[in-house]
Amino acid sequence: MKKLRYDDCICRTKLVDHSLIKNRILNEIKLSTHYENIDNLSEYSSYKVSRADMDLCGDLNRSWVKMLIPNLSLSINEMLSNMAYNGFEINEMWYHQYVKGDTYGWHIHEDQYAGIYYLEFGKSSGKTQMCSPYSFKSMKINAKEGDVVIFPAHLMHRALPNSDERKTVVSFNFNLKPHNRQYINLIK
């Protein structure tokens, strides 16, 4: 087998009005009575997340999700406006809250794209590390609180061990809508 190298992208922007909605979303998460603790050590990876609602990821009617989607949509549309896509559809969304020492091992997502919103992210928060399936080289994403990062869902990634008191991220999966015709003439 021969691997053919092809460019792909990871995009980062700020969430529209992050500072205005951050505490409201964190409060809704805090008030939620449904959450799970993820603690799993497997042959391939380890996962330890103190609080999450991954098992509800398909329910986009949770209060904190409905609060976030309008701002997130504006931010994602801004990123997609520079690509050849004509919109998107979020299929799943969930949060992870990490305390000191929590981590999430190597994994990939379903759907076409995945994203992370760094809702609560300090200087000592565990970074996201991505791995190229072509070269197996990895890179750390230098995200800051309020950032939204989107990437092809097939990219292996993980959350490095957290050193902050608490880190909260929102993960989501989405599919792209068909191409934006204005970009067809740019294809070389």
Side-chain angles (χ1 to χ4, degrees), residues 88-112:
F88 66 95
E89 182 176 350
I90 295 176
N91 298 314
E92 298 175 323
M93 186 178 291
W94 63 97
Y95 73 84
H96 280 173
Q97 279 191 326
Y98 299 83
V99 297
K100 279 188 180 180
D102 283 0
T103 186
Y104 203 91
W106 289 111
H107 65 285
I108 62 173
H109 288 231
E110 297 177 8
D111 294 316
Q112 295 167 338

Side-chain angles (χ1 to χ4, degrees), residues 158-174:
R158 67 179 176 171
L160 294 170
N162 185 47
S163 297
D164 260 342
E165 291 299 318
R166 190 172 79 182
K167 162 186 147 180
T168 307
V169 297
V170 172
S171 297
F172 53 97
N173 294 329
F174 64 101

Side-chain angles (χ1 to χ4, degrees), residues 113-162:
Y113 267 73
I116 304 168
Y117 164 44
Y118 296 84
L119 174 60
E120 186 177 37
F121 195 78
K123 291 181 180 166
S124 300
S125 292
K127 292 185 178 190
T128 302
Q129 185 177 24
M130 300 276 184
C131 177
S132 163
Y134 173 79
S135 65
F136 298 105
K137 289 183 182 175
S138 67
M139 68 180 251
K140 294 176 187 168
I141 304 297
N142 290 317
K144 295 182 172 74
E145 184 175 290
D147 281 354
V148 175
V149 174
I150 63 172
F151 52 94
H154 71 271
L155 288 181
M156 291 184 290
H157 60 285
R158 67 179 176 171
L160 294 170
N162 185 47

Side-chain angles (χ1 to χ4, degrees), residues 6-134:
Y6 197 78
D7 287 340
D8 215 333
C9 68
I10 299 169
C11 300
R12 182 180 75 198
T13 193
K14 287 286 182 197
L15 182 82
V16 172
D17 292 332
H18 163 74
S19 60
L20 297 177
I21 66 169
K22 171 190 171 182
N23 289 332
R24 290 176 36 218
I25 292 172
L26 285 170
N27 191 51
E28 288 297 319
I29 288 171
K30 179 181 176 182
L31 294 173
S32 173
T33 58
H34 179 91
Y35 62 90
E36 60 183 325
N37 179 293
I38 301 169
D39 196 350
N40 183 14
L41 178 62
S42 74
E43 176 182 355
Y44 304 105
S45 210
S46 64
Y47 305 87
K48 179 157 182 18
V49 180
S50 293
R51 188 176 165 122
D53 70 349
M54 267 180 88
D55 59 332
L56 297 176
C57 66
D59 178 6
L60 300 180
N61 288 312
R62 288 166 288 158
S63 59
W64 70 267
V65 173
K66 291 193 318 189
M67 194 178 296
L68 174 60
I69 282 182
N71 299 57
L72 185 61
S73 295
L74 290 170
S75 298
I76 294 172
N77 276 323
E78 177 208 331
M79 288 186 268
L80 294 181
S81 71
N82 295 312
M83 294 190 235
Y85 305 111
N86 198 25
F88 66 95
E89 182 176 350
I90 295 176
N91 298 314
E92 298 175 323
M93 186 178 291
W94 63 97
Y95 73 84
H96 280 173
Q97 279 191 326
Y98 299 83
V99 297
K100 279 188 180 180
D102 283 0
T103 186
Y104 203 91
W106 289 111
H107 65 285
I108 62 173
H109 288 231
E110 297 177 8
D111 294 316
Q112 295 167 338
Y113 267 73
I116 304 168
Y117 164 44
Y118 296 84
L119 174 60
E120 186 177 37
F121 195 78
K123 291 181 180 166
S124 300
S125 292
K127 292 185 178 190
T128 302
Q129 185 177 24
M130 300 276 184
C131 177
S132 163
Y134 173 79

